[in-house]
Amino acid sequence: MSRTLLLILFIALISCDQTSSNERENSASDKVLELKYATGFAIEYFDGYKIVEVKRPYMNAKTSFKYILVSDESKVPTSLKNERIIQVPIKSIVCTSTTHIPLLDYLGETDKLIGFPTTDYISSEKMRARIDDGFVKDLGVDSDINLEELIALDPDMIMAYTIGGDYGQFNKMEQLGVPAILNAEYLEEHPLGRAEWLKFMAAFFDKETMADSVFNSIEERYNELLSLNKNTESKPTILSGVVYGDTWYMPGGKNYASTLMNDAGGDYLWASDSTSGFLELSFEAVYDKALDADYWIGVASFETLKAIEEADNRYSDFAAFKNKKVYTYNARKGAKGGSEFLELGYLRPDLILADLIKILYPNQLPEHELYFHKQLE
């Protein structure tokens, strides 16, 4: 091999190495988003782009998902060109869960929603006004979104979720040119962890500063309430859930609902359980443990004590039922019957906590009126 050819190869190798070195240097993050409670996502900031990672997109997920949010595409390293790239700030979005709606409202981006499956579920007054004015397209049932109408809308992205890891429908969307972003807020165990997903949504609108401000206000209020009953020795006992079929479903001990009840100064009878999802128990097992529970909070769609007793007369044996200390969280419903608790509750755990404290300790928070909850009669 000639000296000239060797020199050319040497220069080429040096050039490649310098290019790789420069790319590595350019890819060093300027900032990593510091999260206080949420564990399911991460955001790294770079010059001209940011990398958003959903660490656990669904229960028992073996892989994470990454999205490249671009404000200046020329700054994105070649190594990331094949990743899911989204130009930000986005100008339009389709959401698939009512829990996404308050995120838009609180960021001042209500007008960016252009499609949603079964819009009747939405309770937000601001969003219902847009729906009534024809600005939000009803895309059918969540599990079978009308892809033709979705493509016709041409949104910048769709914010989705999956319970069991089925990504098939989202693959179809992406093949048709609609980026599908997974939101896994529901997997967070701490109530403030779910609320902190506001920062996840904010990244797509370049509104991180606003998200910080809103979240800090919610966190501050939550912690103020938390301190009220921190040293309470005698705590009222709590039962939750109802029977579906032959199974009594109730929050596990690590479920965020359990955390809220205990943070309110209650003694949730299954708090020592290690389950983060929902327990599936027999009626008899619950009867034996919770017959004398002081309060029964969370009774699904039941709206009266009579309806509960008619469903199963054994319910009337519980002390909480006899003493009329049974509470539903569905006090507020949207214009079409959607649950405001199921929509807004993830973002506003401070409101839930205030309700629970008011229920368990009626003399506390004299100015607070129950927001999501009401006592059944």
Side-chain angles (χ1 to χ4, degrees):
M1 185 179 294
S2 70
R3 291 183 179 179
T4 302
L5 182 56
L6 282 171
L7 181 60
I8 292 172
L9 288 173
F10 178 73
I11 293 172
L13 286 170
I14 291 296
S15 176
C16 288
D17 184 66
Q18 287 178 337
T19 299
S20 299
S21 177
N22 289 338
E23 186 166 296
R24 285 194 297 269
E25 184 178 336
N26 290 336
S27 65
S29 61
D30 299 321
K31 176 186 174 185
V32 176
L33 178 66
E34 293 185 8
L35 296 169
K36 298 180 180 179
Y37 305 90
T39 61
F41 74 97
I43 303 177
E44 289 185 273
Y45 294 86
F46 302 82
D47 181 18
Y49 68 99
K50 44 195 166 186
I51 298 178
V52 176
E53 179 183 12
V54 179
K55 296 180 178 180
R56 188 169 61 138
Y58 50 87
M59 187 71 75
N60 300 320
K62 304 297 183 184
T63 185
S64 64
F65 285 86
K66 287 187 178 182
Y67 310 99
I68 313 303
L69 280 52
V70 177
S71 56
D72 184 350
E73 197 161 356
S74 68
K75 299 289 183 65
V76 180
T78 305
S79 59
L80 297 176
K81 294 293 186 181
N82 293 325
E83 300 286 348
R84 295 178 179 86
I85 294 180
I86 300 169
Q87 191 76 37
V88 293
I90 62 170
K91 300 295 188 293
S92 61
I93 186 173
V94 166
C95 293
T96 57
S97 170
T98 57
T99 60
H100 304 161
I101 302 303
L103 306 182
L104 296 176
D105 284 348
Y106 276 65
L107 290 172
E109 299 292 351
T110 304
D111 64 335
K112 300 304 188 298
L113 185 76
I114 59 173
F116 189 88
T118 316
T119 55
D120 283 356
Y121 289 143
I122 295 177
S123 299
S124 160
E125 291 185 4
K126 290 181 180 179
M127 203 64 80
R128 289 234 58 88
R130 281 183 52 76
I131 294 169
D132 293 342
D133 289 339
F135 294 120
V136 181
K137 181 73 175 178
D138 192 312
L139 296 173
V141 181
D142 182 20
S143 59
D144 190 24
I145 287 178
N146 188 317
L147 292 179
E148 289 185 3
E149 291 187 345
L150 175 66
I151 300 309
L153 286 176
D154 191 27
D156 288 342
M157 60 175 269
I158 178 169
M159 183 163 284
Y161 68 94
T162 176
I163 302 297
D166 181 7
Y167 201 71
Q169 187 181 38
F170 307 132
N171 282 332
K172 291 179 183 178
M173 295 175 185
E174 293 194 325
Q175 289 168 5
L176 294 170
V178 180
I181 310 303
L182 287 182
N183 180 322
E185 60 193 353
Y186 73 95
L187 291 174
E188 298 289 346
E189 295 178 7
H190 196 288
L192 287 170
R194 297 188 177 193
E196 203 163 18
W197 279 73
L198 177 67
K199 299 175 183 179
F200 177 82
M201 177 71 88
F204 297 90
F205 293 98
D206 288 342
K207 283 197 167 181
E208 285 89 338
T209 300
M210 178 181 284
D212 278 342
S213 178
V214 172
F215 176 78
N216 289 342
S217 177
I218 293 170
E219 179 196 24
E220 182 179 359
R221 178 57 175 159
Y222 189 98
N223 287 331
E224 285 176 356
L225 294 167
L226 179 61
S227 66
L228 292 178
N229 297 304
K230 210 165 190 179
N231 300 315
T232 302
E233 293 183 5
S234 179
K235 299 182 177 182
T237 52
I238 304 174
L239 159 69
S240 188
V242 295
V243 170
Y244 290 96
D246 296 324
T247 304
W248 193 306
Y249 292 89
M250 68 173 62
K254 299 301 181 185
N255 185 284
Y256 94 113
S258 173
T259 300
L260 280 160
M261 287 185 277
N262 288 304
D263 282 356
D267 177 13
Y268 177 52
L269 292 175
W270 278 264
S272 61
D273 173 78
S274 61
T275 306
S276 61
F278 283 83
L279 297 173
E280 300 179 16
L281 304 173
S282 67
F283 194 108
E284 291 72 22
V286 178
Y287 192 96
D288 290 343
K289 188 168 184 175
L291 185 63
D292 296 323
D294 297 313
Y295 290 87
W296 186 357
I297 301 175
V299 288
S301 59
F302 287 117
E303 296 185 351
T304 65
L305 293 176
K306 183 180 179 181
I308 292 177
E309 187 173 18
E310 288 177 347
D312 191 320
N313 58 18
R314 292 178 296 175
Y315 283 138
S316 63
D317 292 340
F318 287 89
F321 184 95
K322 292 178 180 179
N323 297 325
K324 297 184 178 181
K325 292 184 177 181
V326 181
Y327 291 80
T328 178
Y329 49 68
N330 277 329
R332 289 174 178 263
K333 292 187 177 181
K336 297 290 185 177
S339 169
E340 190 169 338
F341 176 87
L342 297 178
E343 179 172 307
L344 181 60
Y346 278 13
L347 181 60
R348 294 300 307 274
D350 57 315
L351 289 176
I352 301 175
L353 186 59
D355 274 6
L356 295 177
I357 291 173
K358 185 72 173 183
I359 291 169
L360 300 177
Y361 301 92
N363 295 326
Q364 289 192 6
L365 304 178
E367 302 300 321
H368 180 75
E369 295 184 6
L370 294 183
Y371 189 86
F372 293 121
H373 294 78
K374 71 176 179 180
Q375 189 172 10
L376 296 192
E377 298 178 353

